[in-house]
Amino acid sequence: MSLSEPVELVRRLGATSRVGIIVMVEQSVDAYCAGYPGHDDRAIALDILLRDLARLRVQALALDCFIGEVENYIDLLHRDLAREAA
């Protein structure tokens, strides 16, 4: 099973100390979600990303902190979707 682009970026680049990595991952998450037309589809896509990040966290403990940052961003996107749907 291949990982989605955002999760693959976290796996490949999360342990590096390059400036701007989190921005690259956030942009990748945004692009991933843009591929889904409706609010419900985007919410499901974000849930899938969270699940895949949880799996990655088990496989790569060193990425725990960085994965937490990405999860926080996904949580913000979830909240934005909920506000838009209301």
Side-chain angles (χ1 to χ4, degrees):
M1 175 172 93
S2 65
L3 297 171
S4 64
E5 183 179 337
V7 177
E8 180 60 30
L9 272 176
V10 170
R11 188 190 64 73
R12 274 190 299 117
L13 303 175
T16 67
S17 60
R18 288 182 32 201
V19 173
I21 294 296
I22 189 67
V23 174
M24 289 173 57
V25 173
E26 289 173 354
Q27 290 171 343
S28 180
V29 168
D30 292 340
Y32 176 80
C33 287
Y36 296 91
H39 285 92
D40 292 340
D41 293 334
R42 286 184 181 164
I44 291 169
L46 291 173
D47 287 340
I48 291 168
L49 284 178
L50 287 173
R51 182 204 60 208
D52 290 348
L53 287 169
R55 287 179 179 167
L56 181 60
R57 177 179 269 132
V58 170
Q59 296 170 358
L61 296 175
L63 299 177
D64 185 58
C65 184
F66 188 70
I67 289 171
E69 290 182 50
V70 177
E71 289 172 336
N72 286 338
Y73 181 70
I74 291 171
D75 183 54
L76 289 174
L77 293 177
H78 259 299
R79 291 175 191 213
D80 288 344
L81 284 174
R83 272 194 295 273
E84 289 174 13

